[in-house]
Amino acid sequence: ERELAGKGTPGANGGAAMTGRDRRRNAQPNAAMYVGYADDDEDVESIMAKFKAIEDAKGAKGGGDGGSGGDGGSDDKELTEEELIRATGARAPPKERVDYSAQLGHGNRANRRGEVVVAGTVELVPGHVPPEEIDPADATAAADRLRAGEGFAPEEQEKCDPRSGNDARDPARGPPSSGIVPGVDVAMVDLKGFDAHTREKMAENMPHAVAEHDVDEFIDLVSQTMRMDAVAGADPSLDSAAKSIAESKAATPAHRACAKVLVKLCAKDPKEFKAKSKGVGLVVIRDGGIPAGEYLGAYCGELYPAWRWFEKEAAAQAVRRDVKRDDEVPTFYNAAVERELRDPRGYDVLFIDGMVKGSVLTRASHSCEPNAEMRVRVREGKYSVEMVTTREVRTGEEICWDYRCQTDSEKEMRRAICLCGSKNCRVSYLHYNGDGELAAFADEKCTVLHEFVRLLTSCVDADELRLPDPHGYSKGTPGKGTTPGKQGTPASKRGGHGGKRADDHWKSALIAAGVRADDEGMLAGLPQWARKFASKCVATAHEEKKSLTHSLYESAKRRANEAIEAARAEVAEYEADPESFTAQKRLKDAGTNATPPTVPDEPSELDLRADARAEASGIHAARVQSLAVTMDKVRRVLAVQTRLGGDAEKPVAGVDASAAKPPLRLLNDQESAAHLTAYGARLASAANVENPFVESSFDDRTSVDISAADDEDGSNPEDAGRWIRSDAARRILREMADNLWKHSLEGSDSEDRIARLACGDLAYLAATTRNLFVPVAPGERFQSPFVAMGSTGSRDGAGVVRRMDYPAHSALGFLCTWREEYLERPCDRLATDSRGGLCLPRFDRQPGGGRNGR
């Protein structure tokens, strides 16, 4: 403030200076407006950054500093709500909200708990809308990607009878009917459910005299009663549902007996027998229910390109770490819409977010026993994600579909607890792809080393690489019976592909997989090196699909045989002593009625193979989507870094990034020699031996120049390369390794022996490294526009606001972790996974030297 008072900007009324207090006072109207969007969980640094953004925006609007005004007032520079949202990244509350509970005559229930997803927080929209927080040009470009190729329709849609017209059951062409209507067909209310563990506990404690199917019917009736309580405006719970059933005259004696037991269980252990919030769901209230095969509507919301959806997912991950209860961070109000591989425009993927603005169906819950499913249609030339019923949905039932989401993270899978309460609940609504069987291929052929190899061979001409001889002619090592230059024969001399270069065949893998290699589809606008990398990833995904199909079939067949053998053993045990077997079975199964064991039928070969193909195909489809998301992120990063200034706030639509430089550069012979020479010099110092690169054969100038190249990054490569080339450096390193191993046997000091053995190993590793490369940053570090995330306690859906940080090497990080497309910090992952495998090990002598400093 003192500085501003002394150097203040003259105002229109003379030489009066604007103090810091004046500046804050003028910012108060917008500041108060922003605080209305903020969340109690937001950190101080983020809030202060947005206060500064408000002042900067006001300064830009007024044509000068945020504190100077034309006539001393601030009305002419006051930000509108739209300008404030753009400046801070906060999301304004919907102008028109739908109060679901008011439709049912219970208006006082709206927002009664202040949760993230509660009645009255979504704006219903009839179709897709552009997101508020990205530039309109980028939003328009994303919407255009929904357009299908001319005359294209999905295979399932092509099979429909064209004469069906716009029949609501399965419209074949043109716009469909309006779908279900809130308050008429369904009630949109806050629902509760219970997980598989709670259902199992309820079943175990039911009366022994009640048959198993009656117990299952009772538990389903509990769910039904809870839904109807929610529609009626009551707070749904297991206890209240059990009491209602126990007092109902329409309930069967078995159900009433079970209900009385559940009432006692809820009173005895309310934490164990407790229903949990599912958020807003859709309960059918139409008389007669909804028949099977009926069109329910389109899944609509804000339409996001993959790069922005990644930023939202990264922001959600950050919020989950910051809040105490991450179950209230919005997660599943989205759906992916994919352009098919058969589409003339090529494969692509976009994301529909219905958290704040969406259609009725964005509130449909997950169930492991769904009564509806998603399908893809092309309506009026654009892709549409729609929902139809798969069976009759009776009045009082909830409309549910199977999310069918997959994850490679066991932690994420365990957190995603399913609350559908169905008999066949899978426990989690996420399918886990990371178990040993499914991850075996990735562990063997998709490590960070493999991805770097694919990327390096995409960034560098194959003729420049020194690769192993495919015929095994060079079986020795440099410096020991072979010539170092022959350890890797140039690709152009190795033959293969009928004399054609390998670089000429990168498009074949894309074409075979149905991915377009031109400027359509997910590779549009990308440089050729990125498309080459994509072709290698597609080929790897296809190889994984074949491998998984075989391994899944073999494991399913083995499990089936083991189950049959176990069943036969049980049958034999039962036949030998039925009474003893039944008693043991009852004791083991907590008192449930035991039935005589039977041997299951052996599954058919065709069924096992079909199941294996289906599961492998699902994983393959997920890999293709992961690659498409990664390529969209890379395209975004390259476009921002290509544009002068690297401003992420400006649109990237129309920015040509096809000439962007590769993220990896191969060191030439001179640079490699300098790097290996410096590495060998440090090895000699660490092992306490003479530096083999400083010999009498080199004159003083040579010695000085080589010492000057003693840098991990290979500085002064041209000077070092004049006197010693990479092949000679590798030969010296190989000889150095032999000498260190030999001297390790002669020393008496165990610590010196270990140090020399280790240094010998490192020298051998450096000598046998065929190709050395360095990462190249195509641009500067930048940050994304603000991402608004809903969080605890926010009624308006504003929540916490975050920015996504993009380091200079982001494109490299994204490409080498493409199978984990939502990884928040891929560059950090690379730094960790590269140690000891991709990079030559780093080592330094501690200051002062000594044995303990090695």
Side-chain angles (χ1 to χ4, degrees), residues 192-224:
K192 290 185 178 181
F194 47 86
D195 55 28
H197 172 75
T198 304
R199 181 181 180 114
E200 182 179 355
K201 285 295 182 181
M202 285 192 287
E204 287 179 356
N205 287 277
M206 291 299 108
H208 297 167
V210 179
E212 183 178 348
H213 70 274
D214 287 328
V215 172
D216 292 335
E217 288 180 357
F218 165 73
I219 296 177
D220 292 339
L221 181 59
V222 170
S223 296
Q224 174 93 346

Side-chain angles (χ1 to χ4, degrees), residues 203-503:
E204 287 179 356
N205 287 277
M206 291 299 108
H208 297 167
V210 179
E212 183 178 348
H213 70 274
D214 287 328
V215 172
D216 292 335
E217 288 180 357
F218 165 73
I219 296 177
D220 292 339
L221 181 59
V222 170
S223 296
Q224 174 93 346
T225 305
M226 289 171 58
R227 288 192 293 267
M228 297 312 295
D229 286 346
V231 172
D235 184 20
S237 67
L238 292 177
D239 181 61
S240 61
K243 290 178 179 178
S244 298
I245 297 173
E247 297 170 359
S248 173
K249 296 181 179 180
T252 65
H255 292 168
R256 285 198 296 269
C258 292
K260 292 176 181 179
V261 172
L262 183 56
V263 171
K264 294 179 180 178
L265 293 173
C266 293
K268 181 180 179 181
D269 195 349
K271 291 185 178 181
E272 181 77 19
F273 298 92
K274 179 183 178 181
K276 300 177 182 179
S277 174
K278 294 173 58 177
V280 176
L282 308 179
V283 180
V284 175
I285 58 174
R286 181 200 294 180
D287 291 339
I290 300 177
E294 180 161 331
Y295 171 84
L296 299 177
Y299 196 102
C300 301
E302 293 176 295
L303 191 64
Y304 284 92
W307 64 264
R308 183 58 175 178
W309 189 250
F310 159 72
E311 293 175 350
K312 290 176 69 69
E313 284 291 311
Q317 292 177 31
V319 173
R320 290 189 188 101
R321 289 195 302 269
D322 294 343
V323 298
K324 293 181 180 179
R325 288 184 55 197
D326 63 3
D327 57 321
E328 293 184 351
V329 179
T331 304
F332 282 100
Y333 290 93
N334 62 83
V337 51
E338 299 175 296
R339 241 178 24 214
E340 290 193 10
L341 288 167
R342 299 188 307 111
D343 192 304
R345 295 193 67 199
Y347 178 87
D348 206 350
V349 60
L350 295 166
F351 293 87
I352 305 166
D353 184 17
M355 185 180 74
V356 176
K357 296 181 180 180
S359 60
V360 177
L361 294 175
T362 59
R363 266 49 195 174
S365 300
H366 163 83
S367 176
C368 300
E369 294 181 356
N371 50 35
E373 67 179 2
M374 290 291 194
R375 69 181 185 190
V376 177
R377 293 287 188 265
V378 173
R379 304 291 180 199
E380 299 177 316
K382 290 189 175 183
Y383 278 82
S384 174
V385 179
E386 304 172 351
M387 187 179 290
V388 293
T389 55
T390 56
R391 64 168 177 81
E392 180 187 4
V393 186
R394 296 183 294 274
T395 301
E397 285 192 277
E398 183 184 4
I399 293 178
C400 298
W401 61 294
D402 189 343
Y403 289 167
R404 295 184 179 178
C405 295
Q406 300 178 354
T407 180
D408 294 325
S409 169
E410 183 177 359
K411 181 179 178 181
E412 184 180 22
M413 182 270 292
R414 292 185 180 279
R415 282 178 45 243
I417 302 299
C418 178
L419 299 176
C420 72
S422 63
K423 181 180 180 180
N424 297 317
C425 179
R426 299 190 300 264
V427 181
S428 173
Y429 53 76
L430 293 179
H431 292 271
Y432 181 48
N433 292 338
D435 59 19
E437 187 174 56
L438 298 178
F441 182 89
D443 293 342
E444 182 181 351
K445 297 188 177 181
C446 299
T447 65
V448 65
L449 290 174
H450 293 92
E451 302 303 346
F452 259 98
V453 168
R454 296 182 186 107
L455 184 57
L456 182 61
T457 54
S458 303
C459 296
V460 178
D461 189 5
D463 292 348
E464 301 177 13
L465 291 171
R466 307 177 71 175
L467 302 177
D469 194 316
H471 302 291
Y473 294 148
S474 290
K475 297 183 180 180
T477 54
K480 193 171 183 178
T482 62
T483 303
K486 294 182 180 179
Q487 63 170 318
T489 309
S492 58
K493 299 179 181 180
R494 292 196 307 270
H497 299 293
K500 296 183 180 180
R501 292 174 49 196
D503 280 358

Side-chain angles (χ1 to χ4, degrees), residues 408 441-442 445-448 450-452 454-455 522 533-542 544 619-631 633-634 811-823 826 829-830:
D408 294 325
F441 182 89
K445 297 188 177 181
C446 299
T447 65
V448 65
H450 293 92
E451 302 303 346
F452 259 98
R454 296 182 186 107
L455 184 57
M522 69 180 189
F533 177 76
S535 72
K536 293 176 172 58
C537 295
V538 166
T540 302
H542 181 69
E544 180 184 31
I619 295 174
H620 177 263
R623 299 287 186 242
V624 174
Q625 186 183 111
S626 298
L627 182 61
V629 172
T630 298
M631 289 301 162
K633 295 188 298 181
V634 171
L812 173 64
F814 290 148
L815 291 169
C816 291
T817 58
W818 68 271
R819 295 165 71 92
E820 299 178 75
E821 68 273 29
Y822 297 116
L823 188 64
R829 170 70 65 82
L830 284 188

Side-chain angles (χ1 to χ4, degrees), residues 3 62 124 242 282-283 416 461 538 568 601 669 787:
E3 183 180 2
L124 293 182
L282 308 179
V283 180
D461 189 5
V538 166
R568 286 173 178 168
D601 296 333
D669 193 41
V787 180

